[in-house]
């Protein structure tokens, strides 16, 4: 029989426990209180930090949250806070990652160096708290979706490239929320006032190699599942960004899935929306796909 995923086992156990309490006339809280987040610095810059959210009970899986904002310093990790608060109440440990952005010391290669170092620093926090990282999913919105998929391709990076080498924390899946997954197309469309060129620092003609290393399209196929969620009314990041990535990845045998949801660019980062419910379901699927060492059922 197929192995039973960790999330499925723990969810079943929680359901059984709730049923027992109900039979005894005791009402169980829908969401257990979580522990206050702890901040970890992974560098000296004010933007080099991550906040660790730990659930009060059993951990279903670990989620690395990477915010968007077209890689600009206008937006920060505050965008990931509502997501982390919702997910930690559901039993996920969350690593809400901040990084240097263009206009604040970031851009190529600093932004990429930070995302790699920030994810790797999760290993330090995990060791302190006995956190199992065998199921670690990156959840990235918009530009954060680009960085999440890019980070999942780090093991295949050539020596000397940002993020190259064996990661201290290996991602086991990615849920991209309206991710900018096709860098060349995004540049050609001039999305968000030429945000791609602003990130990369120079036109592609001046340094095509850095563009190649930064583009998730050139890293397919990945060896982890990628779920590309996109709002059907998104006017900020075109649906073609997710469509073209999934098409290229699946053509090469990778596990990639396009999931179109109701709403605009921000519905998928709005807890309580139908789009967010789909994101939560896909995080659960990513945890089950990782299947961290549980024995087969039966």
């Amino acid at each position: 029989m197929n192995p039973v995923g960790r999330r499925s086992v723990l969810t079943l156990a929680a359901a059984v426990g709730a049923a027992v309490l109900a039979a005894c006339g005791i009402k169980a809280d829908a969401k257990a209180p979580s522990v206050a987040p702890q901040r970890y610095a992974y560098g000296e810059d004010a933007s080099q930090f991550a906040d660790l959210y730990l659930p009060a009970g059993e951990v279903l899986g670990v989620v690395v949250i990477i915010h968007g904002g077209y890689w600009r310093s206008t937006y920060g990790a505050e965008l990931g806070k509502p997501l982390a608060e919702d997910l930690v109440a559901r039993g996920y440990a969350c690593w809400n990652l901040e990084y240097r952005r263009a206009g604040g010391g970031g851009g190529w290669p600093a932004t990429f160096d930070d995302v790699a170092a920030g994810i790797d620093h999760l290993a330090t926090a995990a060791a302190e708290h006995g956190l199992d990282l065998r199921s670690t999913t990156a959840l990235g919105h918009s530009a954060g979706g680009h960085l999440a998929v890019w980070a999942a391709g780090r093991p295949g990076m050539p020596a000397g490239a940002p993020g190259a080498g064996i990661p201290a924390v290996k991602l086991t899946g990615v849920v991209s929320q309206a991710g900018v997954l096709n860098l060349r197309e995004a540049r050609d469309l001039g999305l968000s006032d030429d945000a791609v060129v602003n990130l990369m620092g120079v036109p592609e003609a001046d340094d095509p190699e850095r563009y190649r290393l930064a583009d998730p399209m050139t890293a397919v196929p990945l060896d982890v599942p990628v779920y590309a969620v996109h709002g059907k009314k998104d006017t900020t990041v075109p649906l073609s960004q997710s469509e073209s990535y999934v098409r290229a990845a699946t053509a090469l045998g990778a596990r990639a899935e396009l999931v179109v949801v109701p709403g605009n660019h921000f519905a998928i980062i709005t807890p309580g929306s139908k789009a967010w419910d789909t994101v939560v379901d896909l995080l659960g699927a990513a945890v089950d796909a990782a299947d961290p060492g549980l024995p087969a059922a039966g």
Side-chain angles (χ1 to χ4, degrees):
M1 297 180 66
N2 291 332
V4 177
R6 177 180 178 82
R7 178 186 65 100
S8 298
V9 171
L10 294 178
T11 300
L12 178 60
V16 171
V20 171
L21 289 174
C24 297
I26 303 172
K27 183 178 180 181
D29 291 335
K31 294 183 178 182
S34 58
V35 178
Q38 301 174 58
R39 179 156 295 186
Y40 286 82
Y42 62 87
E44 296 182 356
D45 190 90
S47 294
Q48 293 174 312
F49 71 85
D51 290 329
L52 177 66
Y53 292 73
L54 292 172
E58 193 84 44
V59 177
L60 297 180
V62 180
V63 180
V64 176
I65 298 172
I66 309 177
H67 71 82
Y70 270 116
W71 309 283
R72 293 189 173 101
S73 58
T74 309
Y75 302 96
E78 69 277 358
L79 291 175
K81 183 179 178 181
L83 283 60
E85 291 175 341
D86 182 271
L87 292 173
V88 75
R90 297 175 188 269
Y92 290 95
C94 295
W95 185 247
N96 188 26
L97 181 63
E98 186 59 283
Y99 53 93
R100 289 173 292 174
R101 287 89 69 208
W108 179 272
T111 293
F112 299 85
D113 287 335
D114 280 7
V115 169
I119 294 175
D120 282 350
H121 199 69
L122 173 57
T124 298
E128 292 180 5
H129 295 278
L131 192 60
D132 188 345
L133 296 180
R134 288 179 294 172
S135 174
T136 303
T137 306
L139 175 66
H141 177 239
S142 195
H146 159 260
L147 293 169
V149 176
W150 171 86
R154 288 176 56 201
M157 291 287 179
I166 300 174
V169 175
K170 178 172 171 37
L171 298 175
T172 56
V174 179
V175 178
S176 167
Q177 303 164 285
V180 186
L181 304 184
N182 187 330
L183 216 59
R184 175 167 291 182
E185 180 193 70
R187 180 213 61 194
D188 290 346
L189 293 173
L191 295 182
S192 188
D193 296 324
D194 293 320
V196 172
V197 177
N198 185 54
L199 168 72
M200 302 307 293
V202 297
E204 183 174 7
D206 291 351
D207 193 343
E209 180 65 5
R210 73 170 63 176
Y211 275 77
R212 187 184 71 80
L213 293 173
D215 195 342
M217 293 288 286
T218 65
V220 294
L222 298 181
D223 63 355
V224 300
V226 175
Y227 303 94
V229 190
H230 220 108
K232 63 176 61 178
K233 294 183 179 180
D234 195 327
T235 58
T236 303
V237 174
L239 178 59
S240 59
Q241 285 285 301
S242 291
E243 289 176 326
S244 58
Y245 176 83
V246 170
R247 186 166 54 246
T250 55
L252 291 174
R255 181 175 177 184
E257 182 179 344
L258 174 66
V259 183
V260 179
V261 294
N264 60 19
H265 189 62
F266 299 100
I268 46 184
I269 58 167
T270 303
S273 69
K274 291 182 178 179
W276 174 250
D277 289 343
T278 299
V279 170
V280 172
D281 288 343
L282 291 172
L283 286 171
V287 170
D288 283 348
D291 187 33
L294 290 181

